[in-house]
Amino acid sequence: EDLSSLRGQHDQEGREVDDAKRERVRVGMELETTKRDLARTHAALEEVSGEVTRVRTILDATLTERDEILRRSVSLADESSETSKTNTKLREELADVTRLHMAASAQVVEYERELSKARALTNREKEEVDTRDRELGSLKLQLDKVAGSAEK
């Protein structure tokens, strides 16, 4: 009867070890998937960051162009009627450039806001991956204990 009880206990411990091994493999695979997803998210963030930099460069060039148009417009204001026509055209160009500048500024603000959100999300995901990694390590230690106990 004691031998039968020991066999039953040994069989139960064996099942627990097998269950723990399967769980460790499942959690490990899930962790690897999460790490790959995190790497893809990081790459996408870098791409968006590059796009924000590109738009910022365009925005700065637009601002420089607007300033030049404004300077030309002011210097030509007192000249002949032909100059007056040119001045009107320059003012229209200035208005167009100013509208473009305002639209680009709004877009940059939106890109920066989205980039900030994405970075925050990536940081949270990294914390979750680190937590799962620690949990997997703990699970492995428990599995090693159970396996050691089962071997005895």
Side-chain angles (χ1 to χ4, degrees), residues 66-137:
R66 186 196 74 166
D67 290 346
E68 179 58 31
I69 291 170
L70 185 58
R71 276 191 290 278
R72 285 189 306 183
S73 177
V74 168
S75 70
L76 295 175
D78 295 329
E79 293 185 10
S80 70
S81 65
E82 186 62 31
T83 302
S84 180
K85 291 176 188 176
T86 302
N87 204 17
T88 299
K89 186 175 180 176
L90 287 174
R91 283 192 181 106
E92 291 170 359
E93 287 179 14
L94 177 60
D96 291 343
V97 169
T98 300
R99 280 191 294 279
L100 287 172
H101 179 263
M102 290 172 63
S105 291
Q107 190 65 43
V108 165
V109 167
E110 184 61 31
Y111 282 153
E112 289 172 338
R113 193 176 303 129
E114 290 300 321
L115 182 60
S116 177
K117 287 179 187 176
R119 281 189 176 134
L121 180 61
T122 299
N123 288 340
R124 282 194 301 275
E125 288 175 349
K126 183 182 181 324
E127 289 173 14
E128 290 174 14
V129 166
D130 291 345
T131 299
R132 286 186 180 175
D133 212 11
R134 286 191 299 275
E135 290 171 354
L136 183 59

Side-chain angles (χ1 to χ4, degrees), residues 23-24 26-35 38 124-142:
E23 179 65 10
R24 184 179 77 188
R26 186 193 67 74
V27 169
M29 288 170 52
E30 187 177 301
L31 183 61
E32 289 306 314
T33 298
T34 302
K35 284 179 181 179
L38 188 57
R124 282 194 301 275
E125 288 175 349
K126 183 182 181 324
E127 289 173 14
E128 290 174 14
V129 166
D130 291 345
T131 299
R132 286 186 180 175
D133 212 11
R134 286 191 299 275
E135 290 171 354
L136 183 59
S138 176
L139 186 60
K140 185 176 186 271
L141 287 175
Q142 291 174 1

